[in-house]
Amino acid sequence: MEPLTGALAGKAVDSLFRALGRLGDRNRAEKLAQRALSKRNTNLPEPSAAERRRLERFFALEETWSLLIATSVEVSPELVRGIEACFSGDRDAAIRRSMAADFAELAISELPASLDPDDRVVLSSYQNRHLSDQVREIRELVSEYREPKATTSLSADLAEYRRQLQHAITWRRPTRLFPLTFRDNEAPEKPLGVLPEVVAAHRQVAIHAKAGSGKSAALIDLASRLNSSENALVVFVDLKPWAHERNKQFVADGESPTVDQILEASAVPATAALIQGIHGDLVTADARQYWLVDGINELPSGLSRPVLESLTTYLRGIVRSSLVVTDRSPTRYSPPEWSLLEINPLRPTDVDLLLPSESANTSEANSRSRNNALEDSGRRQLLTTPFFLDVAMTDGRWTWETSVQAIHGMFGERLSLSEDDIDKLADFALAMYTKREGLTFPLHELVATAGPLVARRLIESRVLLIPDDDSAAFYHQLLHDYLASRSLAKRPDAWAPKYFDALSFDANTYESLIMVLDQIQSEEGISDYITALYDWNWFGTIRCVERALRDDWRLPRHLTVVLSAMLGEKRFDPVNGSRARAEQWTEKLDGVTGFRFGQASAIAALVEEVERISDGSGPSWFRVWYGLFRQLKELSRTIDEVTVSEISNPDPFIGWTATQVARHCDLGLDGARQIRAMYRGARHASDDISRSIRWRAVHALGRHPSSENAQLLLEAIDSDVYSWVVYGAVRSLLEMAALSDVDATDRFLSQVDARLAQLPAEPLSQVAWATQYEGASAHWADRVWPLLEHARDLQETEEGKELWKARLEAFKTWWERESS
């Protein structure tokens, strides 16, 4: 970077507003400082006078200004660390980091507004020159690593299409092919070679397994085998680089993407018309189309379902067709519509044969032999996962114990990146997930944030895939997951819904969140993290905790007691789908904790199990929770004002348990009035706890039908800006309708019916989900059926109509079983 010149360098913008401090209302720096400080939405302390003087000197340095003007997109870690050094060492380290990040963001955001027009031109020139110098070097490198592009035109014939598809498949094929097997309903172990016959016998197939198990490799192998068959036409769709940000608009609009829009992610450029035209070149009578779709779990959850709906609806019109998708979780795919195939872990004998006999492992301090090392259950389990076995074979070492250690070793040892380099990369990965644009990111942003040296090493090691000149993606999602989790683990201030949604693709996959847990060192930190997770998504928290316990991680016992008990309580949820999922996961969690919540035949038995495994001692919050949960032993009692007030407790375990007590027990007129007041007191705030209070309030009222409670739920549906509150209010209003007499049922349902057209997709789904309500009045089916039909009739797309047709059939089947 050449020296700063002109007005921009003259005063260094008054040492950036005198380090964003108050110096009297005498000059431009003071006014800008006050404006900057007024934007700080934080409880962090103000710097002391001595700290401000150090900040002032820091912002006057030319090196600092090189960092400030290098990019207007991201705050560089070097800038944050430089600012942090200005704060007193007497401050808590986490406070110093948070203050530094806060001031760095202010400096970057306020800089352009502080400049005169001529200065802004200078700033822009520096930014462009700095970025272009770094990126030009990298762009010269990427040509030999860039993905070869298929160029099929609309007039392409079958032979040319197959040739280009094979070219694209070959480029995607992993460097090592492992002897993968899969299981289905017929056999626990089948080789991949029989996949073509299996998928040909089904219309819809979901291949599922945990991250790194070889799902993509299996799909690529299947595509290659089918592409060589004379009676098959293969469409291979890779959703990893799909434009998530643009396509999220489908979710916001309550629409599904068209097939042609999904085909933008095809390995060979195609449209539905092109595919149908090529299909006409197949000469065999039993010709079949195979649509293979990789990476459903790498879409936000609100987008994955519309994609599946569009594809399944389209392919119903093609009699001889099969849809095959890969996913980390099987929960989206219900038999008999879907055939589920699970990729098996590698056999330990195959692992022993594939690992090299000599490696760096023999020289480790523990001096374990190769065979003894494999006796370690955690490591052995990792090595039966193809991704981690590939890492071990590539690096020639497997001294790591966890997935986090394995991937860290890739970046640190294979790529020779320093901890500082990995931190830069981790912050970049988290920022990319937070932008919600998918797994592909602009190459120039990687260069600007992590630096050209890091970018070069990632490209040359082929850790990055290069779809085109200015975009890139890590070759496996687990790498991006790990990096983002590393950054989040070091930022307790970011343990909030915004970041949890980003790392999980809106609760679609939990691998990153599990990795965060593995990188928190203190028991207090683990408790804080799991607590924050629970306030965001109870199901995601259970998934993380069950996995952690299964992998022998040490979690605080009081947390496992609370989570197990609260999950067990959901087994008595009257909504059919919620109850079924809770039963499934209670059994899994009991299997690793040794508790017996899945055996409880009544809610009171849950309390007895809590009393059996705990005496209530522990942290203060746990003692409060213990007292609340024990109230569920006597459901006929009227709860008191203090219990109701705990619904607003910032601790989610206490707040949600108080909510469940309010649902199960007699609330009384005063309790209901107190909850309504609680909701209205929080309705104008946008902070996380206020939104949680509103969600808890509408959830609690569902079991207590009354005109006043229904009116509050309608207020929430009509005007609350938090989608999960609207979601909960719709469920609760339907719950009131299910529990009421005929007149009240009709009144409540008519109010829902009048709002169907305005409901977003997730709250609308409650009209189908919550109507399967155990204990509903005998008149329920007759009264609610017209509402379900109206929801179906409002659908404007064929995909939507088909979805609601299936939902009506599901309700009918459930009611016939329930009333028999």
Side-chain angles (χ1 to χ4, degrees), residues 446-674:
L446 171 66
V447 175
T449 305
L453 175 63
V454 172
R456 173 179 286 276
R457 287 182 178 172
L458 292 172
I459 293 168
E460 291 178 336
S461 65
R462 298 189 184 273
V463 167
L464 285 185
L465 301 179
I466 311 295
D468 53 53
D469 284 345
D470 196 32
S471 64
F474 293 101
Y475 81 86
H476 198 286
Q477 186 180 353
L478 276 172
L479 302 180
H480 202 141
D481 285 346
Y482 159 71
L483 289 168
S485 73
R486 177 184 172 98
S487 181
L488 190 65
K490 296 181 178 183
R491 294 184 53 188
D493 59 307
W495 295 350
K498 171 185 173 182
Y499 292 94
F500 296 151
D501 281 339
L503 263 68
S504 67
F505 289 79
D506 295 318
N508 211 21
T509 176
Y510 301 102
E511 199 66 33
S512 283
L513 299 180
I514 294 169
M515 288 182 176
V516 173
L517 191 58
D518 194 22
Q519 296 173 81
I520 301 173
Q521 301 301 317
S522 69
E523 182 173 305
E524 181 182 5
I526 290 172
S527 294
D528 289 345
Y529 177 69
I530 292 176
T531 300
L533 268 185
Y534 192 86
D535 205 28
W536 164 71
N537 184 302
W538 72 266
F539 182 59
T541 308
I542 295 298
R543 293 281 297 269
C544 291
V545 167
E546 187 270 342
R547 169 79 168 275
L549 292 172
R550 180 161 42 86
D551 291 347
D552 294 327
W553 297 355
R554 298 292 180 258
L555 299 183
R557 180 176 171 81
H558 57 267
L559 279 179
T560 61
V561 171
V562 169
L563 288 165
S564 298
M566 295 180 75
L567 176 62
E569 184 273 332
K570 292 181 184 296
R571 293 178 54 239
F572 300 94
D573 192 306
V575 173
N576 180 49
S578 298
R579 184 174 63 254
R581 183 161 64 172
E583 288 174 348
Q584 175 192 7
W585 281 91
T586 299
E587 181 180 351
K588 288 187 176 185
L589 203 55
D590 281 356
V592 291
T593 61
F595 300 155
R596 301 194 297 250
F597 289 102
Q599 300 174 28
S601 58
I603 292 179
L606 295 174
V607 179
E608 293 171 0
E609 176 66 3
V610 168
E611 293 171 336
R612 183 186 72 83
I613 60 180
S614 175
D615 60 4
S617 61
S620 59
W621 72 264
F622 178 74
R623 296 195 297 272
V624 174
W625 173 87
Y626 189 83
L628 278 173
F629 197 81
R630 292 181 72 193
Q631 293 188 37
L632 292 174
K633 204 168 187 177
E634 191 179 345
L635 300 183
S636 60
R637 61 186 294 274
T638 301
I639 65 173
D640 56 34
E641 180 182 338
V642 173
T643 298
V644 174
S645 70
E646 294 288 14
I647 292 175
S648 64
N649 195 304
D651 187 290
F653 296 128
I654 295 173
W656 279 107
T657 299
T659 300
Q660 295 304 94
V661 172
R663 280 175 57 79
H664 287 294
C665 297
D666 180 11
L667 192 55
L669 294 177
D670 289 340
R673 188 179 300 113
Q674 187 179 350

Side-chain angles (χ1 to χ4, degrees), residues 279-301:
H279 184 82
D281 292 343
L282 294 170
V283 296
T284 58
D286 56 351
R288 191 177 192 89
Q289 287 188 32
Y290 295 89
W291 288 54
L292 313 183
V293 182
D294 194 23
I296 286 289
N297 58 270
E298 292 165 19
L299 299 176
S301 58

Side-chain angles (χ1 to χ4, degrees), residues 35 141 150 155 257 360 434 486 502 556 657 701:
R35 181 163 67 88
L141 175 68
S155 60
T434 306
R486 177 184 172 98
T657 299
L701 294 176

